[in-house]
Amino acid sequence: DNTVNTPGTVTTIPTGLVGTLVDSTGAAIATVPVNADGSYDFGDVEPGTYSVVLHQTAAGSTTPSLPTGWNNTGEHLGANAGSDGTVNGILPNIVVTTTDVTNANFGVQQPPVADPKDYLIDQPVADAIIPLNGTHASTGTGTSSPGQLTGSDPEDGTLNGSGKDRTVVITTLPDNGELYYNGVLVTPGQVIPNYNPDSLSIKLTGTGYTSIEFEYAYLDEAGEQSPPVTYTIRWDKPLPVTLVSFTATARENTAELNWVTAEETNAERFEIQRSIDGKAWKAIGSIQAQGES
């Protein structure tokens, strides 16, 4: 019927759709085009049990298909009768007797699209908590403030948290740090209904990295999920380790260096550098980080 059931707006269905009537032996009986308003009609049909296949082959086909970017969302016969429960562009078990069979319906739609995000912020500190709603101050070397999750849908329009009536899926957790919603640690694949940007934040745990990212997707009103996209926050220099102490002791012609850190999470190694004048430095070795130490 060319109408999106929720929220009830009219959209344009793809051109070139056709329907084929298939009998109980699997033979194609008739093929007709789907009109611009979504209607199609096979005319008079002999009594029997049939299926209807929705596809794009004008000459007829028993294999369902849709144009690129479109998905089947279900098939339904009449006001009360369902299909076989398999969403595949085939409506089976249509019994024709001596009365008209109407409302042999197919649901089709275009899935939503989520927007990838990439933000450069001022140099943060370890364990900083950054809100992901556009309110994080970034006025130094950073150029932007991490904003909310956004997207679009051909049927549902703009997708964001302004109305707190959209659904977001966190498909992949941060590679560094921790993601929180309403103060609770987010789990992999977590579905967030009624998404509120003010409730989403990220904590920069650990040290030794210059970016953090996770992936998210949007669900539209029909429950269709967008392909996941990446949300990235970057800064210029690695987060430093938390240094507790550092000493240098002369041992004849060498210097013995000792240091203690509170944590080395996500740190790979310490690089030892030597300078004669305190200006030009040369790496002379490295030691693996210990982790929490």
Side-chain angles (χ1 to χ4, degrees), residues 171-259:
T171 56
T172 303
L173 293 182
D175 48 353
N176 297 300
E178 299 170 341
L179 192 64
Y180 288 85
Y181 191 76
N182 277 333
V184 179
L185 196 64
V186 174
T187 57
Q190 180 171 332
V191 178
I192 302 176
N194 304 315
Y195 161 62
N196 181 356
D198 296 335
S199 298
L200 190 63
S201 61
I202 201 162
K203 182 177 181 181
L204 305 181
T205 60
T207 56
Y209 55 95
T210 58
S211 67
I212 188 169
E213 63 182 35
F214 63 92
E215 291 186 343
Y216 74 96
Y218 261 99
L219 292 180
D220 66 9
E221 296 291 345
E224 195 74 17
Q225 182 170 314
S226 70
V229 295
T230 302
Y231 190 112
T232 302
I233 302 175
R234 300 177 289 113
W235 51 92
D236 290 335
K237 300 177 182 179
L239 293 181
V241 297
T242 303
L243 188 64
V244 175
S245 66
F246 183 93
T247 62
T249 304
R251 301 292 186 190
E252 296 182 351
N253 292 327
T254 64
E256 182 180 281
L257 309 180
N258 290 276
W259 63 93

Side-chain angles (χ1 to χ4, degrees), residues 106-197:
F106 292 86
V108 297
Q109 69 129 305
Q110 300 171 84
V113 176
D115 301 325
K117 304 289 183 178
D118 191 341
Y119 299 98
L120 176 64
I121 64 172
D122 298 344
Q123 184 66 34
V125 297
D127 295 326
I129 297 177
I130 299 175
L132 305 184
N133 61 358
T135 63
H136 177 73
S138 190
T139 58
T141 58
T143 60
S144 56
S145 176
Q148 63 170 306
L149 316 182
T150 64
S152 62
D153 182 79
E155 293 86 18
D156 300 337
T158 300
L159 302 175
N160 57 43
S162 60
K164 300 178 179 59
D165 57 353
R166 302 298 190 180
T167 301
V168 168
V169 182
I170 304 300
T171 56
T172 303
L173 293 182
D175 48 353
N176 297 300
E178 299 170 341
L179 192 64
Y180 288 85
Y181 191 76
N182 277 333
V184 179
L185 196 64
V186 174
T187 57
Q190 180 171 332
V191 178
I192 302 176
N194 304 315
Y195 161 62
N196 181 356

